[in-house]
Amino acid sequence: MNISAIHKLVENGFHEEALNKIQAAKDRGETNPILMLFEALALYDGNKDLECLVMLNKFLSKIAPDHEKHYYALFTSGICLMNLGLPTEASKLFDLVPDEYPDIESERREAKLKSNVSKEAKNIYKSLIDRANA
């Protein structure tokens, strides 16, 4: 199976079939990094944010920073971090994505808002623990 066929499977929501084809390609020795990106997207669409993040990290480690999907992988990694409850970390990734990238400004705002809420909640938690232990 060629890479464009796998891409079509991912694009059309056939995630399990795509993952099976990707695994078969890897078993045959295929090393094209784009397979990692497609695997990440299939995992993301299957609500497997941590696994997606792992694959995006592998993809980014295999490509040059000027690869056409570099910012896409960073953006998607940020979304996964948000979904995993790590808005501060997501915000740092979103800051690496160019301002003209689609939807980046709204994601930056959301990440910063959630990060601020998370910091405030942690401060309140610390206060609660201090009071409980007093």
Side-chain angles (χ1 to χ4, degrees):
M1 167 158 279
N2 66 29
I3 290 176
S4 63
I6 291 172
H7 182 228
K8 286 202 183 297
L9 289 172
V10 172
E11 202 172 54
N12 291 314
F14 297 105
H15 308 120
E16 288 304 316
E17 188 176 348
L19 290 170
N20 290 336
K21 300 291 184 188
I22 291 167
Q23 186 58 53
K26 291 191 314 189
D27 290 345
R28 288 190 309 273
E30 179 63 56
T31 60
N32 187 333
I34 206 73
L35 280 175
M36 293 176 198
L37 180 63
F38 294 156
E39 184 171 356
L41 297 177
L43 291 165
Y44 175 82
D45 287 339
N47 296 314
K48 297 178 180 175
D49 291 299
L50 183 58
E51 295 89 341
C52 176
L53 197 55
V54 168
M55 290 311 303
L56 289 169
N57 185 42
K58 287 181 182 181
F59 171 72
L60 287 165
S61 74
K62 299 286 184 193
I63 63 165
D66 62 348
H67 188 281
E68 66 178 322
K69 294 296 184 183
H70 175 80
Y71 292 123
Y72 180 77
L74 286 176
F75 180 84
T76 305
S77 295
I79 298 294
C80 288
L81 288 169
M82 290 282 289
N83 292 344
L84 292 167
L86 299 167
T88 302
E89 293 79 357
S91 183
K92 290 176 184 178
L93 281 184
F94 291 146
D95 287 343
L96 299 174
V97 177
D99 293 342
E100 58 274 1
Y101 195 86
D103 297 324
I104 192 62
E105 287 303 320
S106 64
E107 292 300 335
R108 285 177 180 158
R109 279 192 302 277
E110 184 179 351
K112 286 185 186 352
L113 176 65
K114 286 184 177 181
S115 182
N116 290 338
V117 168
S118 179
K119 286 176 189 171
E120 186 174 344
K122 286 177 185 177
N123 288 335
I124 293 169
Y125 166 77
K126 184 181 179 315
S127 177
L128 291 167
I129 290 296
D130 289 347
R131 290 183 201 287
N133 288 328

